[in-house]
Amino acid sequence: MKKITTLRQAAITSVAHYLPEEVLPNSFFSSYLDTSDEWIKTRTGINTRRILRKGGSSDLALPAVKRLLEKRGITANDIDIIIFCTVTPDMFFPSTACVLQDKIGAKNAWGFDLSGACSGFLFGLETGRRFIEAGGAEKVLVIGADKMSSIIDYNDRNTCPLFGDGGGAVLLEPIEESEYGILDSILHIDGSGGEHLHMKAGGSLNPTTHETVDKKWHYVYQEGKTVFKSAVVGMADVSAEIVEKNHLTSDDIAYLVPHQANLRIIDATRERMGIPPEKVMINIDKYGNTTAATIPICLSEWHEAGKIAKGDYLVLASFGAGYTWGSILIRWAY
Ligand code: UT7
């Protein structure tokens, strides 16, 4: 690889996504739990979500990455780094980046998994961007993929209707025109929020035992209302802040690309930014919360529909377990 020492601009040059075929409608949950289509729709904005029965998160990423390479007209051997953002890795180790590297045959790549929950994709984008800017890589694959159905208790009505499975991927490359690409980021973590949204067991603190399984400690635990309150403030604040910091106004923003956890959180962020509903990417109605995958899936769907143009300013924003949250400002480059 050519060694470049000057700082250069990183941009998304290809994007793709994959959703498993099986659709789980709200009526599935109301058929056996004390819930209703009406409750789920009005409290979350979700109508359906997709479920992967066989395979792991690498299988959600694989079709997306194949499509991304095809769109860009390159092969897997051209990839330098794979950053796999997920909280549902195929297994603890080897990393899902390694699993995917083997599946696509990216012989010249190295890579790693990144655990940032719902903000994972933004953290991955920032990491990939810095490798490109510093001259450490020419082509970085940033993937957000989560098989949430693997860590959901389908008897807990507080969490099971919220999540779905999916994967999205972007390619980062250096570009000549410095006014395009990834322009800025504001990222945060606050571990004191961890108690409100986590998975208790399976790690080194609480290794898997019969007891941890009996206690259902291998499922997502969420205090919905508490997380909701922090998410509304956190996501709205960083979204407004990045626009102001870059001397832009809401009129300059083509799209807000929010993490899809709850339509009411998205609406609060949009209102705080003062932008109209048509400038917000929303697909939570179809796919629910796919954790690290929501933002790249949105980007891919809107790009495929021809709704993103070169020069468009996009604000990507997220809030999730950790707590983790942030925003990234992009000027679309192709
Ligand atoms: O992506 C990671 C970050 N996560 C988030 O951003 C999620 C943030 N939180 C939320 O999206 C919302 O808090 C939820 C959708 C999880 C819950 O909505 P809520 O309006 O905050 O409801 P709640 O938790 O305050 O519950 C209200 C009531 C409760 O009943 P009581 O105690 O008032 O009798 C719940 O037991 O709704 C009940 N409830 C349900 N009822 C029917 C909770 N889940 C359900 C359900 N169906 N599925």
Side-chain angles (χ1 to χ4, degrees):
M1 198 194 330
K2 204 165 75 186
K3 186 163 166 40
I4 297 163
T5 46
T6 50
L7 217 60
R8 56 222 181 129
Q9 193 77 8
I12 294 174
T13 57
S14 189
V15 56
H17 71 283
Y18 172 74
L19 291 149
E21 273 173 28
E22 186 175 337
V23 177
L24 222 53
N26 290 345
S27 57
F28 166 76
F29 300 100
S30 53
S31 72
Y32 71 98
L33 285 173
D34 181 15
T35 188
S36 64
D37 177 44
E38 179 64 15
W39 193 96
I40 300 169
K41 250 189 216 155
T42 52
R43 305 312 291 166
T44 70
I46 302 167
N47 297 329
T48 57
R49 69 288 292 142
R50 302 292 183 91
I51 300 295
L52 182 73
R53 293 289 172 192
K54 269 182 94 171
S57 291
S58 68
D59 298 296
L60 293 165
L62 184 62
V65 170
K66 280 185 178 165
R67 179 94 185 97
L68 172 148
L69 296 173
E70 208 179 277
K71 279 182 173 177
R72 184 70 184 98
I74 58 171
T75 71
N77 285 337
D78 295 318
I79 302 297
D80 299 316
I81 303 177
I82 300 169
I83 304 177
F84 201 116
C85 310
T86 188
V87 288
T88 52
D90 281 16
M91 55 194 95
F92 265 160
F93 70 89
S95 71
T96 312
C98 290
V99 176
L100 185 80
Q101 179 275 337
D102 183 46
K103 284 183 177 174
I104 59 174
K107 293 197 176 68
N108 302 310
W110 69 281
F112 52 90
D113 288 3
L114 189 155
S115 172
C118 297
S119 304
F121 181 74
L122 292 198
F123 290 8
L125 211 52
E126 175 72 357
T127 308
R129 166 201 181 191
R130 299 303 183 183
F131 278 114
I132 297 277
E133 286 180 350
E138 298 297 305
K139 289 184 173 53
V140 179
L141 200 52
V142 182
I143 297 154
D146 269 300
K147 186 183 173 182
M148 293 307 291
S149 62
S150 66
I151 55 167
I152 293 300
D153 177 1
Y154 280 91
N155 287 310
D156 175 12
R157 71 172 185 171
N158 290 296
T159 52
C160 67
L162 308 177
F163 296 94
D165 303 336
V170 299
L171 183 69
L172 296 180
E173 292 182 84
I175 48 157
E176 302 275 320
E177 304 158 295
S178 62
E179 65 271 35
Y180 296 100
I182 303 175
L183 303 182
D184 199 9
S185 67
I186 303 173
L187 303 173
H188 298 282
I189 62 171
D190 176 5
S192 70
E195 63 183 293
H196 308 300
L197 176 52
H198 58 256
M199 192 171 94
K200 284 187 176 59
S204 54
L205 181 64
N206 296 305
T208 310
T209 62
H210 286 292
E211 194 191 352
T212 62
V213 172
D214 290 345
K215 285 181 165 167
K216 300 191 167 193
W217 280 6
H218 297 269
Y219 293 130
V220 169
Y221 169 84
Q222 175 169 249
E223 292 157 20
K225 210 174 217 74
T226 309
V227 178
F228 184 94
K229 283 181 193 158
S230 299
V232 165
V233 177
M235 212 160 97
D237 279 358
V238 283
S239 302
E241 191 186 340
I242 205 160
V243 174
E244 283 159 27
K245 191 180 157 208
N246 287 275
H247 311 293
L248 298 169
T249 70
S250 51
D251 290 343
D252 298 316
I253 305 304
Y255 289 106
L256 166 67
V257 193
H259 169 56
Q260 314 276 310
N262 189 310
L263 191 55
R264 291 179 291 143
I265 299 173
I266 295 172
D267 280 343
T269 304
R270 177 184 70 69
E271 276 171 25
R272 170 75 195 280
M273 292 176 78
I275 66 173
E278 62 272 17
K279 282 183 161 190
V280 186
M281 294 190 192
I282 294 172
N283 57 19
I284 187 173
D285 51 322
K286 294 184 287 182
Y287 312 131
N289 183 352
T290 55
T291 302
T294 63
I295 291 174
I297 293 173
C298 278
L299 290 175
S300 176
E301 284 199 327
W302 262 253
H303 190 256
E304 275 185 359
K307 293 184 197 161
I308 309 178
K310 182 171 180 178
D312 278 352
Y313 283 105
L314 310 183
V315 172
L316 281 47
S318 66
F319 188 96
Y323 293 142
T324 57
W325 73 104
S327 58
I328 288 189
L329 178 68
I330 286 179
R331 194 156 183 229
W332 200 258
Y334 74 103

